[in-house]
Amino acid sequence: MTAPNIIVILADDLGFSDAGAFGGEIETPNLDRLAASGVRMSAFYATPRCSPSRAALLTGRESHSVGIGILTTDDRPHGYAGSLSLEVPTIAELLKARGYATALVGKWHLSSDISAPNETWPTRRGFDEFYGILPGASSYYRPPLYDGERRVDEQPSDDYYLTDDLSRRAADFVGRSAQQETPFFLYLSYTAPHWPLHAREADVASYRDRYRAGWDRLREERAERLHELGITPAVDSARDPEVSEWTDAADQEWEAERMAVYAAQVEIMDRGIGRVVATLEAHGVRDDTLIVFCSDNGACAEELPFSGRRMNPDICPPLTRDGIEVEVGNEPGIRPGPEAGYSSYGRPWAHLSNAPFRLYKRWVHEGGIASPFIANWPAGGIAGGAVAHAPAHITDIVPSILDAVGNPVQRPRASLLEIWREPASRDALAERTLCWEHMGNAAARRGRFKLVREYGRPWELYDIDTDRGETADIAAENPGLVADLEAAWQRWAEASGVLPWDRVLEDFRQRGRAVPQ
């Protein structure tokens, strides 16, 4: 078999159950088709934040060990480097050495210095082509775009929309590479559906009535569909105590509008994925292409504006293309959707996006780290629409790709290729210990048991097979298991270069820097 083409698609802040193939009511026909003809993973985990997940995805290493502990705003002497380590090769560098054409289309967010081209930029890390943004977020109408290492200074057209532009460029790369009969690696790193809430009226309109049903009913419906699809067992899903009942929401029309725009952002991304797949089909290389899709973390409960912090003008332009002042915030007077508003959808809707799980991006409970995952490769035996339940981690993607291209190497993680081919199998990976740390939040999962804590709070223990909603803490009844998993987590933290969060916090304070939120 010839070397497969590789496409890795990463969504930004997509919740576990947003896509139709994972129980959501958002229209995602292209992802649904990939799932129906591929494999889904019910227990695939990312890290709880964007930069660490990107570092882990591209290197196959724990993010702390390659310079990314929080975000790219970190720096030494007492913190993490804040840029992806130059000492560890990216999957783009590894594949380029094997003759692959390589491209990153979308978001990078792995360089602490984006003021001028330097060795940490994607063009210096194995990508022949880069088209997208360097920071963690941007306006969808007026983004800080780069083409290679050149800033795109041209004023966007009136109908410009970032997700469509990224999809167009990705499809163009696929088409050009297929014509050259060169195996290619495309890392399509969407910014959608990360805030701000930006989408055209034509894409938002169809969702307004849908979300007037409110987050309570829709969360219950998603949990039921997840069970019917065989992705999760029936889950006891406790309400977030900080989320009010829908009937008590102060402005239901505005709330429904927020989620309608978010859903439109997801649908537009899905439409772009369809465009890329159609290009594969048009050039006759669809079956020979391994497509992997996941999210970088769970849904985002962040509220805008951040308290005490100014928005970077590159991320949030102060004026629209027409010279209108951009309003930042989550309040009914700021309309989500158009360019003049800059807002997020808030904790209640993130609670829906992460149904049926607990907490959000930043935390390491299931709502922060569980990601929808799809793999599809007809010629490679990844087909059929089954669901694999073995736990897996975003660091497993690099060894899985290397295995697929015929170059298995010893890595800290193992290849998932055989699990994707035989989803019903339960191999040795099911009993390995997976660990997480982010801003003092910590977790370790081995088999069915998960040890987890929020920073400053005691460890909790859950039987994930029967309680994936993390509602019944069984730590007190299992002190030996708690001690065993805590010791395993400590060994992992030391080996991975995890810094004590108290020390990192003190360093931020001493230098007068704002702690990432």
Side-chain angles (χ1 to χ4, degrees):
M1 183 174 62
T2 59
N5 306 306
I6 309 292
I7 298 179
V8 175
I9 305 171
L10 188 66
D12 197 345
D13 291 1
L14 184 75
F16 182 80
S17 60
D18 279 328
F22 282 80
E25 67 292 319
I26 301 174
E27 301 294 331
T28 55
N30 296 292
L31 285 173
D32 299 350
R33 279 192 287 271
L34 289 174
S37 61
V39 63
R40 282 163 287 179
M41 299 195 82
S42 67
F44 182 85
Y45 294 105
T47 81
R49 205 152 200 150
C50 41
S51 294
S53 284
R54 284 162 170 73
L57 184 155
L58 289 176
T59 65
R61 307 293 179 91
E62 301 291 352
S63 66
H64 307 78
S65 71
V66 292
I68 307 292
I70 312 170
L71 290 168
T72 56
T73 51
D74 322 333
D75 57 28
R76 290 187 169 101
H78 302 300
Y80 301 99
S83 292
L84 190 62
S85 171
L86 302 178
E87 298 177 0
V88 179
T90 68
I91 186 61
E93 289 169 318
L94 295 172
L95 291 177
K96 185 173 180 178
R98 291 180 61 88
Y100 275 70
T102 61
L104 162 57
V105 178
K107 170 176 164 178
W108 176 238
H109 206 197
L110 288 172
S111 298
S112 61
D113 181 3
I114 60 174
S115 62
N118 60 73
E119 294 306 308
T120 70
W121 282 33
T123 42
R124 317 282 180 96
R125 298 310 315 270
F127 291 101
D128 298 323
E129 299 182 22
F130 167 56
Y131 185 79
I133 67 169
L134 292 165
S138 76
S139 166
Y140 287 77
Y141 300 110
R142 197 177 179 186
L145 271 179
Y146 277 82
D147 191 344
E149 296 183 356
R150 180 185 69 85
R151 176 71 178 258
V152 179
D153 292 323
E154 295 84 357
Q155 178 81 346
S157 62
D158 291 343
D159 63 348
Y160 181 87
Y161 188 77
L162 177 59
T163 305
D164 290 340
D165 191 19
L166 298 179
S167 299
R168 174 198 60 77
R169 181 62 174 255
D172 176 68
F173 170 76
V174 167
R176 286 186 282 111
S177 299
Q179 288 176 332
Q180 296 168 3
E181 299 184 353
T182 302
F184 60 83
F185 168 56
L186 169 64
Y187 173 35
L188 178 50
S189 178
Y190 283 108
T191 60
H194 192 293
W195 50 257
L197 296 175
H198 280 168
R200 303 184 189 94
E201 170 61 23
D203 292 306
V204 176
S206 63
Y207 285 104
R208 289 195 175 98
D209 286 342
R210 193 169 306 187
Y211 291 108
R212 289 183 179 120
W215 44 71
D216 294 324
R217 177 177 143 191
L218 293 171
R219 184 171 161 91
E220 291 174 2
E221 291 176 354
R222 286 193 183 192
E224 291 172 1
R225 284 194 293 269
L226 280 164
H227 180 46
E228 292 168 358
L229 290 167
I231 297 173
T232 63
V235 176
D236 182 8
S237 178
R239 170 191 290 282
D240 182 337
E242 295 187 34
V243 174
S244 71
E245 294 187 15
W246 174 250
T247 53
D248 294 333
D251 193 324
Q252 292 185 355
E253 285 299 307
W254 171 69
E255 290 285 9
E257 188 76 4
R258 297 166 87 187
M259 187 62 193
V261 176
Y262 175 91
Q265 291 177 285
V266 176
E267 182 178 343
I268 296 164
M269 176 183 68
D270 180 84
R271 193 160 63 217
I273 293 169
R275 180 173 183 172
V276 173
V277 173
T279 305
L280 293 171
E281 293 170 344
H283 289 277
V285 296
R286 169 71 182 85
D287 287 356
D288 295 322
T289 302
L290 168 60
I291 301 174
V292 170
F293 171 86
C294 62
S295 179
D296 62 349
N297 44 246
C300 176
E302 294 168 350
E303 297 284 347
L304 295 181
F306 294 127
S307 176
R309 294 176 61 191
R310 298 176 60 186
M311 298 294 288
N312 182 322
D314 249 0
I315 292 175
C316 176
L319 301 176
T320 69
R321 289 164 294 184
D322 297 331
I324 299 171
E325 184 176 354
V326 174
E327 295 185 280
V328 181
N330 292 343
E331 54 186 74
I334 300 175
R335 183 186 171 195
E339 186 180 358
Y342 204 96
S343 56
S344 63
Y345 73 160
R347 194 172 183 123
W349 290 120
H351 194 43
L352 169 64
S353 286
N354 277 340
F357 300 143
R358 177 179 166 193
L359 291 175
Y360 316 94
K361 169 183 176 179
R362 176 177 167 174
W363 286 271
V364 293
H365 287 73
E366 293 291 280
I369 57 177
S371 163
F373 181 93
I374 301 168
N376 187 296
W377 181 22
I382 302 172
V387 178
H389 296 292
H393 192 273
I394 197 166
T395 49
D396 298 332
I397 290 178
V398 164
S400 302
I401 291 173
L402 293 175
D403 196 2
V405 304
N407 186 34
V409 295
Q410 187 66 36
R411 298 296 243 179
R413 298 293 186 192
S415 170
L416 302 174
L417 198 58
E418 291 310 311
I419 292 176
W420 296 343
R421 287 171 171 158
E422 298 291 339
S425 66
R426 296 284 291 186
D427 63 12
L429 295 183
E431 295 303 318
R432 62 185 172 153
T433 303
L434 302 176
C435 297
W436 296 264
E437 188 279 338
H438 188 68
M439 298 176 69
N441 300 319
R445 177 174 175 176
R446 180 188 300 149
R448 65 189 299 161
F449 293 105
K450 180 181 175 187
L451 188 71
V452 62
R453 73 175 183 212
E454 292 184 61
Y455 172 64
R457 296 187 182 183
W459 288 106
E460 305 160 6
L461 181 69
Y462 299 101
D463 183 339
I464 294 298
D465 280 2
T466 61
D467 179 27
R468 202 155 174 209
E470 297 171 310
T471 60
D473 181 6
I474 57 174
E477 301 97 292
N478 298 275
L481 182 55
V482 170
D484 184 30
L485 286 173
E486 182 180 5
W489 182 88
Q490 190 63 48
R491 290 192 297 272
W492 166 86
E494 292 172 1
S496 299
V498 175
L499 300 175
W501 183 238
D502 287 340
R503 170 179 147 190
V504 177
L505 277 177
E506 181 60 27
D507 185 59
F508 272 109
R509 294 190 184 105
Q510 287 182 359
R511 289 182 290 144
R513 296 188 54 208
V515 178
Q517 300 192 24

